[in-house]
Amino acid sequence: MSDPAFSLCVYCGSKPGNQEAFTQSAIQVGTWIGQHGGQLVYGGGRNGLMGTVAEATMLAGGRVIGVIPRALVEKEWARTECTELHIVETMHERKQMMAEKADAFIALPGGIGTFEEFYEVWTWRQLGYHNKPIGLLNLNGYYDSMLSFLNAVVAHEFMGSWQMDLIRTESDPQKLLPRLIQEAGLPTPFLSQAI
Ligand code: AMP
């Protein structure tokens, strides 16, 4: 198998959420990765949107790298048929490995695990630990209230607008995904069809 065209780390809920649209967006993201010769890096489980995005990627012919702490193998129902499944000892190792293997990051709707991972790569970026693009899929306004709060943080001068400029926010995965790959400096032969 040839090397993947890009490696995208997806953070998303270990639950499906209460709208079919969340699952559909996870399918869209996974399918897009697979159809464009990419590789998914994710938490390695079968539950919720995480499982959906992995299954869609594989169905579309993409590689899937799962990284899961040993203690969560049963709880998150590790996806043993990933192209590569890495069982690590700690959550820190998981996040470190996921971040190292990715060219870009995207957060889909999710809960506090998703937020934690998204905020971590964002804070690492603001500190200059990496320079990889970070996207937030604001599907059906799921993240509107979080974005309002973050704008309030800027207004209260606890961060600058430059920090907000480090993340890309879109409601449509078909717009967000090519943009992240482009910003990662990778070839984007698909760009003219997508935007
Ligand atoms: P959630 O968005 O809460 O459904 O969690 C999504 C994923 O984030 C799951 O795979 C969790 O194992 C993972 N997660 C939960 N807590 C943390 C954490 N502190 N650091 C990194 N990942 C976490």
Coordinates of all heavy atoms in Angstrom, one line a residue, residues 12-15 43 50 69 72 76 91 94-95 109-117, ligand 1:
C12 N -13.6 13.3 18.6 CA -15.1 13.3 18.5 C -15.6 12.5 19.7 O -14.9 11.8 20.4 CB -15.6 12.9 17.2 SG -15.2 11.2 16.7
G13 N -17.0 12.6 19.8 CA -17.6 12.0 20.9 C -17.5 10.4 20.9 O -17.6 9.8 19.9
S14 N -17.4 9.9 22.2 CA -17.5 8.5 22.3 C -19.0 8.0 22.4 O -19.3 6.9 22.6 CB -16.7 8.0 23.6 OG -17.2 8.7 24.7
K15 N -19.9 9.0 22.3 CA -21.3 8.8 22.2 C -21.8 9.3 20.8 O -21.1 10.2 20.2 CB -22.0 9.5 23.3 CG -21.7 9.0 24.7 CD -22.6 9.7 25.7 CE -22.6 8.9 27.0 NZ -21.3 8.9 27.7
G43 N -8.9 7.7 18.5 CA -8.7 7.1 19.8 C -8.9 5.6 19.8 O -8.7 5.0 20.9
M50 N -16.8 8.2 17.3 CA -15.4 7.7 17.1 C -15.4 6.4 16.3 O -14.7 6.2 15.3 CB -14.7 7.4 18.4 CG -14.4 8.6 19.3 SD -13.8 8.2 20.9 CE -12.3 7.4 20.5
P69 N -5.5 3.7 25.4 CA -4.8 3.3 26.6 C -5.3 1.9 27.0 O -6.5 1.6 26.8 CB -5.2 4.3 27.6 CG -5.8 5.5 26.9 CD -6.3 4.9 25.6
L72 N -8.6 1.4 28.7 CA -9.8 1.7 28.0 C -10.2 0.7 26.9 O -11.2 0.8 26.2 CB -9.8 3.1 27.4 CG -9.7 4.3 28.4 CD1 -9.7 5.6 27.6 CD2 -10.8 4.3 29.4
E76 N -13.9 1.3 25.9 CA -14.2 1.9 24.6 C -14.2 0.9 23.4 O -14.3 1.3 22.3 CB -13.1 3.0 24.4 CG -13.2 4.1 25.4 CD -12.5 5.4 25.1 OE1 -11.7 5.4 24.1 OE2 -12.8 6.4 25.8
M91 N -3.0 7.9 29.1 CA -3.8 8.9 28.3 C -2.8 9.9 27.7 O -2.9 10.3 26.5 CB -4.8 9.6 29.2 CG -5.8 10.4 28.4 SD -6.7 9.5 27.2 CE -8.2 9.1 28.2
R94 N -1.2 8.3 24.7 CA -2.2 8.3 23.6 C -2.2 9.6 22.9 O -2.1 9.7 21.7 CB -3.6 8.0 24.2 CG -4.7 8.1 23.1 CD -6.0 8.3 23.7 NE -7.0 7.3 23.4 CZ -8.3 7.3 23.8 NH1 -8.7 8.2 24.5 NH2 -9.1 6.3 23.4
K95 N -2.4 10.7 23.7 CA -2.5 12.0 23.0 C -1.2 12.4 22.3 O -1.3 13.0 21.2 CB -2.9 13.0 24.1 CG -4.3 12.8 24.6 CD -4.9 13.9 25.4 CE -4.1 14.0 26.7 NZ -4.6 15.1 27.6
P109 N -18.4 17.2 16.9 CA -19.1 17.3 18.1 C -18.7 16.1 19.1 O -18.4 15.0 18.6 CB -20.6 17.1 17.6 CG -20.6 17.7 16.3 CD -19.3 17.3 15.7
G110 N -18.7 16.5 20.3 CA -18.3 15.5 21.3 C -18.5 16.0 22.7 O -19.1 17.1 22.9
G111 N -17.9 15.3 23.7 CA -18.1 15.7 25.1 C -16.7 16.2 25.7 O -15.9 16.7 24.9
I112 N -16.6 16.1 27.0 CA -15.4 16.7 27.6 C -14.1 16.1 27.2 O -13.0 16.7 27.2 CB -15.5 16.8 29.1 CG1 -15.8 15.4 29.7 CG2 -16.6 17.7 29.6 CD1 -15.8 15.4 31.3
G113 N -14.1 14.8 26.8 CA -12.9 14.2 26.3 C -12.4 14.8 25.0 O -11.3 15.1 24.8
T114 N -13.4 15.1 24.1 CA -13.2 15.8 22.9 C -12.6 17.2 23.1 O -11.7 17.6 22.5 CB -14.5 15.9 22.0 OG1 -15.0 14.5 21.8 CG2 -14.3 16.5 20.7
F115 N -13.3 17.9 24.1 CA -12.9 19.3 24.3 C -11.4 19.3 24.8 O -10.6 20.1 24.4 CB -13.7 19.9 25.4 CG -15.2 19.9 25.2 CD1 -16.1 20.0 26.2 CD2 -15.7 19.8 23.9 CE1 -17.5 19.9 26.0 CE2 -17.1 19.7 23.7 CZ -18.0 19.8 24.8
E116 N -11.1 18.4 25.7 CA -9.8 18.3 26.3 C -8.7 18.2 25.3 O -7.7 18.8 25.3 CB -9.8 17.2 27.4 CG -8.7 17.3 28.4 CD -7.4 16.7 28.0 OE1 -7.4 16.0 26.9 OE2 -6.4 16.9 28.6
E117 N -9.0 17.3 24.3 CA -8.0 17.0 23.3 C -7.9 18.2 22.3 O -6.8 18.6 21.9 CB -8.5 15.7 22.5 CG -8.4 14.5 23.4 CD -9.1 13.3 22.7 OE1 -10.3 13.4 22.2 OE2 -8.6 12.2 22.8
Ligands
AMP1 P1 -16.0 12.3 24.9 O1 -15.9 13.5 24.0 O2 -16.1 12.7 26.4 O3 -17.0 11.3 24.5 O4 -14.6 11.6 24.8 C1 -14.0 11.3 23.5 C2 -12.7 10.6 23.7 O5 -11.9 11.4 24.5 C3 -12.8 9.2 24.4 O6 -12.0 8.4 23.6 C4 -12.1 9.5 25.7 O7 -11.3 8.3 26.1 C5 -11.2 10.6 25.4 N1 -10.8 11.3 26.6 C6 -11.5 11.4 27.7 N2 -10.9 12.1 28.7 C7 -9.7 12.4 28.1 C8 -8.6 13.1 28.5 N3 -8.4 13.6 29.8 N4 -7.6 13.3 27.7 C9 -7.7 12.7 26.4 N5 -8.7 12.1 26.0 C10 -9.7 11.9 26.8

